[in-house]
Amino acid sequence: MNASTTTAAPVLSFRDLKVSFDTEFGSVDAVKGLSLDVHAGEVVALVGESGSGKSVTSTAAMGLLPANAHITGSASVVGHDVVSMAPEAVRKLRATEVAMVFQEPMTALNPVLTVEKQMTEALELHGMAYGAEAKKRAIELLELVGLPDPARRIKQYPHQFSGGQRQRIVIAMAISCDPKVIIADEPTTALDVTVQAEILDLLRRLKDELGTGILLITHSMGVVADLADRVAVMYRGNLVETGAAGEVLTQPEHPYTKKLLDAVPKLSEVREEESVQAEQDDATATGRRLVLEARDLVLEYDMRGKKFRAVEGVSFDLASNEILGIVGESGSGKSTVAKAVLGLLPVADGTLAVRGTDLAQLSPRKAREVRKKIGVVFQDPAASLNPRFPIGDCIIEPMIIHKVGNRKERQARAAELLDAVRMPRSVLNRYPHELSGGQRQRISIARALTLKPELLIADEPTSALDVSVQASVLAMIGELQEEYEFACLFVSHDLAVVDMLASHVVVMQNGKTVEQGPTRRVLHHPQQDYTKRLIAAAPVPIPDEQRDRREARRQLLKEQGFTLD
């Protein structure tokens, strides 16, 4: 950002913005007098935990708050106060002056319309271009955001693109009418580290080339360090700290900012001799009680009569009181392996054994008995807990299914597990929607441990959580493992989390194992090009260090023969 831009009028400005909502329990204050500016060519990151008021602030700037919202103060886009404008005027302002990039691109794209239809519709609706000219402009935009072969792929539907490609399409739609402001609400949270790095490179290039002001809403401090010029920290509706990214991230003043930064998992420094020692210790390890073993594992999906091989030739083992991390990009096959262990996908070839029992050879009745030994924690706790069941019933549901204990014993077990995951017993009669995301994930972990499993499958259990909540959940998993001594298969795309938790790691790409071994060796002294690319793409929450990492990644990609934008 040029120094001169700070003297120009801001393209997005909030002045004493206050937002409250009418609820059945009374009025709730979501934003309490926020004042903040975003200038042209500048990225301002708005950070804070869920419920801090970040998304409500951005929604106010788009004029998209629900009818039960009460707003005072101003939210101005290029001098137009959205708060006092008529709804029709605000609709004209969207896309032409301010556009939004949402967290989940599939909810922002219409699944039954081609990309061409959706992009040209936006251009025609705002009078930017029509017919063949609109299609030409749409292809140019897709080319600008780095979508391969846009002239052909513009005819395809959203489901035919990867997550990163869909996010590029959403960004192309956002910039189609040359807005002065882009509001990016968690634009990379659901993406792998390599795809995230590409999207951040794209946003950086667009703001430099187009001079667009960007309000970036995120809970990832690595993303903030990579992209933001300034940082604004929100806590319970209040703006508690603002300043240049380098100052706020390295010398925070407010206790809440310090707490957020302390909670960020980081790839630790490991000397090469330590990684060699870890490899030697692994080779000489004795007395391991194997819980899960895969040998030349092959997994396939039946696609309308055609077999799609999702996993091929994967081998690993996991013992009691160990955590094995499986990492890789979307489509690498890591979650497919977890599904097979849970019995949700048949084994096409090879061996997948729990406690020496090959799952592929079992009858349905015996497989059910084996699954009693397996607990599972999914990525989205809201989707994995029955919204009609009280928390107590959610926890004891596995005991009911497997006919374990009587009602009194089940209730006692539920209370015991709530203590274990540090939740008050008073939540037994509450419902999932009454709890926060972090609390729901704690309940999911409690339910997974109900039958005292020997194996816990954790599939991206913290990717949707704030950094401070994530830190407490990860610490709790470590503590529970010490107490219950279960083996844990931990699937994640967050390398820092895997580095913190797992003793061993398997790196997967396109259904095959690229590299595996002790975490200290694989994540700190990788041998394979793909592993090196994954690690290079993982952001760190220190701007100067992240700038060096970004340049090092570009150099690595050049050395490996990749073309850069």
Side-chain angles (χ1 to χ4, degrees):
M1 184 184 68
N2 298 327
S4 60
T5 58
T6 57
T7 60
V11 290
L12 177 62
S13 179
F14 301 97
R15 285 290 173 269
D16 196 28
L17 182 71
K18 297 177 183 177
V19 182
S20 62
F21 295 94
D22 290 333
T23 72
E24 58 182 309
F25 305 107
S27 180
V28 175
D29 295 326
V31 180
K32 306 170 184 177
L34 178 137
S35 294
L36 183 68
D37 291 335
V38 180
H39 291 83
E42 178 186 38
V43 179
V44 176
L46 194 58
V47 301
E49 295 172 301
S50 294
S52 62
K54 312 185 300 292
S55 293
V56 172
T57 300
S58 67
T59 310
M62 293 292 292
L64 294 174
L65 288 171
N68 66 329
H70 297 280
I71 318 163
T72 61
S74 67
S76 300
V77 176
V78 200
H80 303 284
D81 183 10
V82 175
V83 173
S84 59
M85 289 175 70
E88 183 60 35
V90 175
R91 276 195 291 273
K92 290 180 180 179
L93 201 67
R94 293 185 203 125
T96 56
E97 301 290 358
V98 59
M100 196 157 188
V101 177
F102 294 96
Q103 177 176 348
E104 178 46 68
M106 271 307 272
T107 62
L109 295 170
N110 191 324
V112 299
L113 297 180
T114 63
V115 170
E116 178 184 355
K117 177 64 177 172
Q118 294 182 65
M119 292 196 67
T120 55
E121 183 180 57
L123 289 165
E124 290 174 354
L125 183 66
H126 293 282
M128 304 295 290
Y130 298 92
E133 186 63 31
K135 181 180 177 181
K136 181 184 175 183
R137 172 64 176 155
I139 292 172
E140 289 173 355
L141 288 164
L142 292 176
E143 193 170 354
L144 180 65
V145 298
L147 192 76
D149 197 8
R152 178 181 66 85
R153 302 208 66 185
I154 197 171
K155 299 283 187 183
Q156 295 180 334
Y157 291 86
H159 73 271
Q160 294 174 282
F161 295 86
S162 70
Q165 289 173 333
R166 286 195 290 262
Q167 196 64 293
R168 287 174 183 267
I169 293 167
V170 170
I171 292 171
M173 292 175 68
I175 64 173
S176 62
C177 298
D178 300 322
K180 304 296 188 298
V181 185
I182 292 177
I183 298 173
D185 191 353
E186 301 280 9
T188 63
T189 296
L191 303 178
D192 306 313
V193 285
T194 49
V195 180
Q196 172 179 275
E198 292 168 5
I199 295 299
L200 293 177
D201 285 343
L202 170 61
L203 288 171
R204 188 181 303 104
R205 181 164 56 83
L206 290 176
K207 70 109 174 177
D208 289 340
E209 293 178 4
L210 306 178
T212 309
I214 299 177
L215 180 65
L216 175 69
I217 296 169
T218 183
H219 62 244
S220 171
M221 292 302 181
V223 169
V224 173
D226 197 13
L227 190 62
D229 299 303
R230 289 192 297 122
V231 181
V233 183
M234 287 192 76
Y235 178 59
R236 294 186 176 177
N238 293 302
L239 203 59
V240 296
E241 186 166 0
T242 59
E247 293 175 4
V248 174
L249 294 181
T250 57
Q251 297 175 316
E253 295 181 355
H254 196 276
Y256 177 68
T257 312
K258 293 177 183 178
K259 176 190 166 189
L260 281 181
L261 290 168
D262 288 343
V264 177
K266 307 174 185 71
L267 282 166
S268 58
E269 291 293 328
V270 174
R271 295 191 303 273
E272 190 160 2
E273 55 267 31
E274 289 181 291
S275 69
V276 171
Q277 185 62 47
E279 198 89 60
Q280 292 172 348
D281 292 345
D282 188 45
T284 58
T286 58
R288 296 171 70 229
R289 292 184 296 122
L290 287 186
V291 174
L292 179 64
E293 188 173 11
R295 289 288 173 265
D296 299 319
L297 182 63
V298 176
L299 301 172
E300 294 177 336
Y301 288 102
D302 192 336
M303 310 285 283
R304 296 181 180 177
K306 294 182 180 179
K307 298 290 185 182
F308 169 70
R309 185 158 288 190
V311 171
E312 184 173 11
V314 170
S315 298
F316 60 82
D317 57 46
L318 175 61
S320 293
N321 216 19
E322 290 181 354
I323 296 180
L324 174 67
I326 301 185
V327 301
E329 297 170 297
S330 293
S332 63
K334 55 186 191 296
S335 290
T336 302
V337 171
K339 287 180 182 177
V341 177
L342 291 168
L344 301 176
L345 190 67
V347 175
D349 200 2
T351 302
L352 185 61
V354 175
R355 277 278 182 225
T357 304
D358 189 355
L359 297 179
Q361 308 300 323
L362 295 179
S363 66
R365 186 180 63 80
K366 289 187 177 179
R368 182 188 177 100
E369 283 300 311
V370 170
R371 281 201 291 273
K372 280 177 65 175
K373 303 174 184 177
I374 304 172
V376 59
V377 183
F378 294 103
Q379 179 175 353
D380 184 0
S384 60
L385 296 174
N386 191 323
R388 297 183 179 185
F389 280 13
I391 296 301
D393 288 356
C394 288
I395 293 174
I396 65 173
E397 187 178 13
M399 298 182 76
I400 296 171
I401 290 171
H402 289 282
K403 299 180 173 61
V404 175
N406 55 39
R407 180 163 182 80
K408 186 177 180 180
E409 290 169 338
R410 292 167 186 170
Q411 291 294 338
R413 179 65 175 154
E416 175 190 331
L417 286 166
L418 284 175
D419 293 340
V421 299
R422 297 198 293 276
M423 288 285 289
R425 295 188 179 190
S426 58
V427 304
L428 277 171
N429 294 316
R430 295 172 66 185
Y431 288 84
H433 73 271
E434 297 180 81
L435 305 181
S436 68
Q439 289 173 324
R440 284 196 292 260
Q441 197 60 296
R442 287 171 183 267
I443 298 303
S444 295
I445 293 170
R447 182 182 61 180
L449 299 176
T450 300
L451 296 174
K452 299 181 181 178
E454 298 180 21
L455 173 62
L456 181 70
I457 309 293
D459 191 357
E460 301 277 11
T462 61
S463 64
L465 303 178
D466 303 316
V467 284
S468 56
V469 178
Q470 172 182 270
S472 65
V473 169
L474 292 174
M476 188 186 65
I477 289 175
E479 291 169 10
L480 290 171
Q481 191 188 42
E482 285 185 16
E483 181 179 349
Y484 293 99
E485 296 189 344
F486 53 78
C488 180
L489 187 69
F490 194 92
V491 178
S492 180
H493 63 245
D494 191 327
L495 301 184
V497 167
V498 171
D499 185 39
M500 185 175 81
L501 272 187
S503 57
H504 291 73
V505 64
V506 175
V507 182
M508 293 186 67
Q509 182 190 27
N510 299 328
K512 297 181 179 179
T513 300
V514 174
E515 191 166 359
Q516 67 187 102
T519 306
R520 288 189 168 197
R521 199 266 297 160
V522 174
L523 294 188
H524 297 279
H525 301 283
Q527 306 301 306
Q528 302 300 317
D529 287 350
Y530 177 71
T531 312
K532 291 176 182 178
R533 292 200 301 274
L534 275 183
I535 294 165
V540 295
I542 304 168
D544 290 343
E545 185 180 337
Q546 179 56 25
R547 195 176 303 113
D548 293 341
R549 285 179 63 86
R550 190 164 64 238
E551 289 307 312
R553 174 177 174 269
R554 293 181 68 84
Q555 186 59 39
L556 175 69
L557 291 175
K558 283 182 181 179
E559 291 171 0
Q560 293 186 4
F562 289 87
T563 55
L564 302 175
D565 292 334

